[in-house]
């Protein structure tokens, strides 16, 4: 599959980041073509920041890096699942995963 095909529906696609060892969901971020290309070239995750309108390399300043092990595309070719080796925590709040708050009772 040509990776540019992933961005035919939208300039940004969701990327679910999962721990390769435990399968725990660590975070959800968005990628554009350039961030996916940089991820594939470097072997570390790059995303598109919707709030800052710029590329960001996960862990570049915090040291909490994500080494890419595998990348999967969903059946509709509009979402990525990225399995990583997480160094440190995934969430900017200091939590292991971004999914630490339970909704409801």
């Amino acid at each position: 599959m040509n990776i540019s095909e992933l961005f035919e529906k939208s300039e940004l696609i969701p990327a679910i980041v999962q721990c390769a060892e435990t399968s725990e969901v660590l975070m959800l971020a968005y990628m554009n073509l350039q961030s996916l290309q940089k991820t594939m070239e470097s072997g570390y995750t790059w995303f598109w920041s919707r709030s800052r309108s710029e590329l960001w390399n996960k862990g570049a300043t915090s040291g909490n890096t994500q080494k890419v092990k595998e990348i999967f595309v969903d059946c509709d070719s509009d979402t990525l699942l990225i399995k990583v080796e997480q160094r440190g925590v995934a969430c900017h709040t200091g939590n292991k995963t971004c999914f630490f708050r339970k909704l409801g009772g």
Side-chain angles (χ1 to χ4, degrees):
M1 164 180 269
N2 182 332
I3 65 169
S4 62
E5 293 174 37
L6 297 170
F7 301 92
E8 290 177 357
K9 296 177 190 173
S10 176
E11 291 180 12
L12 294 177
I13 59 173
I16 301 163
V17 181
Q18 183 180 48
C19 176
E21 186 177 326
T22 66
S23 296
E24 182 175 24
V25 175
L26 300 173
M27 59 182 282
L28 173 109
Y30 289 86
M31 290 185 137
N32 62 9
L33 179 58
Q34 186 180 11
S35 64
L36 180 54
Q37 288 170 330
K38 289 180 82 66
T39 295
M40 294 175 74
E41 291 166 6
S42 70
Y44 289 86
T45 54
W46 284 80
F47 301 105
W48 178 257
S49 170
R50 296 180 301 163
S51 61
R52 297 186 312 268
S53 296
E54 65 183 18
L55 290 173
W56 59 282
N57 175 222
K58 177 66 177 160
T61 55
S62 68
N64 297 323
T65 58
Q66 296 174 336
K67 183 174 184 179
V68 176
K69 296 300 188 177
E70 297 177 293
I71 301 177
F72 294 89
V73 180
D74 79 330
C75 58
D76 294 324
S77 298
D78 61 4
T79 303
L80 298 174
L81 173 64
I82 305 174
K83 294 190 175 197
V84 302
E85 178 183 306
Q86 178 71 47
R87 179 176 173 218
V89 299
C91 187
H92 72 279
T93 65
N95 286 283
K96 179 180 176 183
T97 171
C98 292
F99 297 96
F100 61 91
R101 298 183 299 169
K102 185 175 180 179
L103 185 62

